[in-house]
Amino acid sequence: MVDFKKSVIYQIYPKSFYDSDGDGLGDLKGVTEKLDYIRQLGADYIWLTPFFVSPQKDNGYDVEDYYHIDPRYGTMEDLEELSREAGKRGISLMLDMVFNHTSDRHEWFRKALAGNPEYKDFYIFKKGKKPGVPPTNWESKFGGSAWEYVEQFDEYYLHLFDVSQPDLNWDNPKVRRRIQDVVKFWMGKGIKGFRFDVVNLISKGEFRDDLEGDGRRFYTDGPNIHKYLQELNEATFGTDAEIITVGEMSSTSLENCYRYASEDGKELSMVFSFHHLKVDFMGNEKWVMVPFDFCKLKHILFEWQTHMAEHHAWNAVFWCNHDQPRVVSRFGDTKEYWKESAKMLATVIHCMRGTPYIYQGEELGMTNPGFHDISQYRDVESINHFRILQEKGLTRENAYQILAIHSRDNSRTPMQWSDQKNGGFSQAEPWIEVNDNCAYINAETEEKDEDSIFHYYQKLITLRKKYDIVGYGDFEALDEMHPSVLAYRRNYRDQKLLVINNFYGKEVTWEADESLKDYTCILSNYEHHMMDGKRIRLKPYEALVLYREA
Ligand code: TEU
């Protein structure tokens, strides 16, 4: 059995990681070239976002062919080489499987549109309520209706994401078998990790108008979801104890996650949930400008930590991915306390109970790029919502401000390798602009600086390897009502780990519920600490990891 509790996973968005052949797009060979960097950091797995053949309407989350690699990213030989070279460095690969939908260019969908009844039943086609009115009022996650009219059938097909991403019909056993074949194929290539994209949306429930929301309550964590996951597990990855899995769970509930990620191993190894990343939304509405709610953030994190532990279920813990803005821009301070706040945020996540995920560049403290013109954006979701916001009456300026905060492109700018041309990412003009601050935020500079964010992440990973309590301890929330400190304790056998974080740029005194005199500080983003009995004076964004054995 692999010990995913002691593992750390590094996420790579290949398009923006490293361009080895000078076409402005990152590629698989580029990942191979940078493996020593990831080994130096200390990660155990690399999760690669989709590189399968795709028209790239949603950067590869629109798969045209699950069995072949998009030539833009390289060849099967390149992947095999990457897997071999990673293996030599003790790193395994995790592939990203998009099974809620395919691209509209997938052979199955083309056959469906050509009128082949067998393949039409691979997707979700329905009659409209009346002429010109879709079957339900559900909204696409990327804006607009979730239904697209097809004239030759006088029917609509469902697409929860872009119109070019028709949803698969998992209630059809033939679809489930074809999906199993895909997973088995990649297992045959020696792949030891899988991420399943929006996998809690695969079992659709009732097709009814949602009078209170956008429709999500009718297809999220749907009626057969656990059955379908257990079936996939038994038929594929469940047969190999060396494989780890993570499900991306959109708008999910704790109750469902106890089952998805139960230690009994019937479904998945762990889950991503996103409630803690909606604390700067208004309800479910992302395209607004509101300050983040610290108490809510803390409450959600604590709730998930505590309850998942009580139910013997395992979390993926993270701030960043290719859909989220950069965390230091979001919850930290990119100006006065850039380094301190980036390190503090890393401490919060890496000392929690769960498997930490690092998104490329997070370990350097990369920030949002501050795009200010629509021509700089590439993401279909951002481009759609830029239009929708203005249709709702917002000025262009306001729409830009909202995009600059929430756009998924914030995390998709090229990895900053050096202060050279294009941040050392590519010799050619990159597919999306490089952040100007690559002049000082870059891997080359940080590798040389012992006090850098990069080295701090390295130390956090080392802690997880060295101290069993980081992987195996329970979780105890502390001082939940405190308005600026996020603190918790982990307990394991005779060991204790106390993690104390000042989430703001103001000094604050924090009082523990026990004496701190037997604790040793094993990591911090400041050199000197002011501790006295139970009290600690915390400096701006100070993070402290204290350890003791009874
Ligand atoms: O994302 C699922 C998803 O719903 C969100 O993270 C989404 O990007 C956000 O809610 C929009 O506001 C996954 C992938 O991570 C994402 O990149 C894909 O676009 C999406 O699925 C469709 O495959």
Side-chain angles (χ1 to χ4, degrees):
M1 267 283 272
V2 284
D3 194 355
F4 54 78
K5 298 189 174 176
K6 284 217 151 198
S7 299
V8 174
I9 301 180
Y10 188 80
Q11 183 193 351
I12 291 184
Y13 199 66
K15 203 176 233 178
S16 298
F17 192 61
Y18 185 61
D19 173 16
S20 75
D21 59 0
D23 62 358
L25 295 174
D27 43 55
L28 293 175
K29 269 192 183 305
V31 179
T32 308
E33 280 189 41
K34 296 294 185 184
L35 280 172
D36 284 331
Y37 171 81
I38 297 159
R39 179 173 58 179
Q40 194 195 345
L41 182 64
D44 307 275
Y45 286 83
I46 294 174
W47 149 25
L48 293 160
T49 60
F51 47 68
F52 311 104
V53 175
S54 157
Q56 302 286 325
K57 292 268 170 55
D58 187 19
N59 280 334
Y61 282 91
D62 46 331
V63 181
E64 179 174 340
D65 177 350
Y66 292 109
Y67 293 96
H68 290 95
I69 292 173
D70 196 307
R72 276 171 275 215
Y73 293 118
T75 62
M76 192 62 87
E77 288 68 45
D78 294 341
L79 181 72
E80 284 163 357
E81 186 194 18
L82 168 58
S83 176
R84 233 182 1 258
E85 288 301 318
K88 286 185 197 161
R89 292 162 177 82
I91 300 169
S92 304
L93 300 186
M94 173 184 267
L95 300 199
D96 201 330
M97 312 311 286
V98 190
F99 292 146
N100 174 67
H101 44 267
T102 67
S103 157
D104 59 356
R105 299 244 302 257
H106 194 288
E107 190 193 350
W108 302 338
F109 195 70
R110 291 199 225 199
K111 287 186 175 163
L113 281 191
N116 179 326
E118 184 180 350
Y119 286 96
K120 219 178 138 204
D121 197 32
F122 271 43
Y123 295 89
I124 301 169
F125 283 90
K126 298 251 176 247
K127 286 275 173 231
K129 274 193 294 222
K130 52 184 181 201
V133 183
T136 69
N137 67 349
W138 301 357
E139 282 167 36
S140 150
K141 307 249 182 203
F142 292 163
S145 169
W147 296 96
E148 180 71 6
Y149 184 64
V150 180
E151 205 178 338
Q152 69 263 36
F153 304 142
D154 187 27
E155 281 178 340
Y156 294 77
Y157 69 82
L158 179 69
H159 62 91
L160 295 181
F161 294 89
D162 188 52
V163 54
S164 69
Q165 293 167 298
D167 279 54
L168 281 166
N169 173 17
W170 274 69
D171 293 333
N172 178 351
K174 285 187 189 158
V175 168
R176 307 208 294 277
R177 230 165 297 129
R178 295 291 192 97
I179 296 295
Q180 293 169 8
D181 291 342
V182 175
V183 179
K184 285 188 216 157
F185 172 82
W186 290 105
M187 283 170 63
K189 295 266 172 209
I191 297 301
K192 295 294 181 201
F194 293 103
R195 171 204 186 251
F196 296 105
D197 189 61
V198 288
V199 75
N200 66 326
L201 308 185
I202 57 176
S203 168
K204 273 65 177 176
E206 288 175 84
F207 290 88
R208 275 175 39 196
D209 273 351
D210 189 350
L211 304 176
E212 290 153 37
D214 59 8
R216 69 183 71 192
R217 63 201 176 99
F218 292 116
Y219 56 75
T220 304
D221 302 320
N224 292 312
I225 183 66
H226 297 286
K227 178 177 157 217
Y228 294 160
L229 282 175
Q230 287 167 23
E231 186 185 79
L232 183 66
N233 175 318
E234 275 169 35
T236 64
F237 55 83
T239 58
D240 182 347
E242 292 292 309
I243 292 181
I244 70 165
T245 53
V246 56
E248 187 201 26
M249 303 303 175
S250 171
S251 302
T252 190
S253 69
L254 265 167
E255 290 67 29
N256 278 291
C257 288
Y258 303 153
R259 296 179 66 191
Y260 294 140
S262 164
E263 283 175 8
D264 69 14
K266 288 197 181 128
E267 297 184 16
L268 302 168
S269 315
M270 60 189 119
V271 283
F272 290 117
S273 66
F274 295 90
H275 301 282
H276 67 295
L277 296 175
K278 294 185 179 175
V279 296
D280 51 2
F281 287 18
M282 227 143 68
N284 279 323
E285 183 49 48
K286 158 170 167 174
W287 303 99
V288 291
M289 215 162 50
V290 292
F292 82 93
D293 181 337
F294 172 67
C295 285
K296 195 165 161 196
L297 173 68
K298 190 158 62 156
H299 175 74
I300 295 169
L301 287 171
F302 285 180
E303 189 183 23
W304 278 74
Q305 284 285 302
T306 317
H307 287 103
M308 289 291 273
E310 273 170 20
H311 288 81
H312 307 284
W314 197 247
N315 277 309
V317 285
F318 71 105
W319 291 125
C320 299
N321 67 29
H322 63 291
D323 296 330
Q324 300 294 329
R326 293 286 179 180
V327 68
V328 63
S329 301
R330 193 172 192 179
F331 303 138
D333 175 348
T334 55
K335 298 192 177 79
E336 210 176 333
Y337 296 109
W338 165 66
K339 213 188 240 189
E340 291 80 0
S341 62
K343 290 178 181 179
M344 180 279 291
L345 290 162
T347 313
V348 170
I349 285 296
H350 282 253
C351 294
M352 278 186 171
R353 179 183 174 278
T355 299
Y357 284 67
I358 301 170
Y359 175 68
Q360 65 184 48
E362 177 186 341
E363 75 284 8
L364 304 174
M366 274 178 64
T367 67
N368 291 348
F371 286 164
H372 45 77
D373 193 275
I374 196 65
S375 64
Q376 296 173 296
Y377 288 95
R378 298 288 175 270
D379 181 21
V380 53
E381 186 199 42
S382 300
I383 293 166
N384 287 349
H385 281 281
F386 183 61
R387 180 180 37 81
I388 294 169
L389 283 171
Q390 292 176 83
E391 283 166 7
K392 282 185 182 160
L394 267 79
T395 63
R396 224 174 148 77
E397 261 331 293
N398 279 156
Y400 276 137
Q401 286 168 335
I402 293 176
L403 243 56
I405 296 173
H406 290 296
S407 168
R408 305 194 298 180
D409 282 337
N410 281 315
S411 58
R412 298 177 180 182
T413 63
M415 177 74 176
Q416 294 166 206
W417 292 106
S418 70
D419 60 4
Q420 303 295 297
K421 182 177 158 199
N422 300 326
F425 161 73
S426 173
Q427 287 308 312
E429 191 187 329
W431 70 280
I432 186 169
E433 272 174 52
V434 179
N435 194 323
D436 291 337
N437 64 21
C438 67
Y440 63 96
I441 302 183
N442 65 70
E444 202 177 276
T445 307
E446 296 202 26
E447 278 174 279
K448 284 188 242 155
D449 170 11
E450 267 307 308
D451 183 46
S452 65
I453 299 169
F454 176 83
H455 283 288
Y456 193 86
Y457 269 83
Q458 202 183 35
K459 287 176 194 150
L460 280 167
I461 297 176
T462 310
L463 280 195
R464 179 166 292 262
K465 308 283 175 208
K466 188 167 160 200
Y467 294 90
D468 281 346
I469 189 167
V470 181
Y472 309 134
D474 68 1
F475 182 89
E476 197 187 338
L478 297 177
D479 212 350
E480 193 159 346
M481 300 313 284
H482 197 288
S484 60
V485 173
L486 191 156
Y488 55 87
R489 184 161 44 222
R490 310 282 310 276
N491 306 282
Y492 181 66
R493 298 192 174 148
D494 61 346
Q495 306 160 23
K496 279 179 195 292
L497 193 77
L498 200 56
V499 186
I500 308 156
N501 302 282
N502 180 3
F503 229 86
Y504 288 90
K506 272 205 194 106
E507 279 199 16
V508 59
T509 300
W510 186 75
E511 191 171 321
D513 59 358
E514 60 176 328
S515 161
L516 302 173
K517 84 175 179 10
D518 294 324
Y519 278 96
T520 323
C521 176
I522 55 172
L523 188 66
S524 173
N525 53 356
Y526 282 89
E527 230 173 285
H528 302 287
H529 312 108
M530 291 178 282
M531 274 194 258
D532 176 23
K534 293 181 175 180
R535 288 154 71 93
I536 311 182
R537 184 83 186 148
L538 294 165
K539 292 186 267 298
Y541 295 100
E542 181 162 349
L544 276 169
V545 185
L546 307 179
Y547 176 77
R548 67 171 277 189
E549 282 172 30

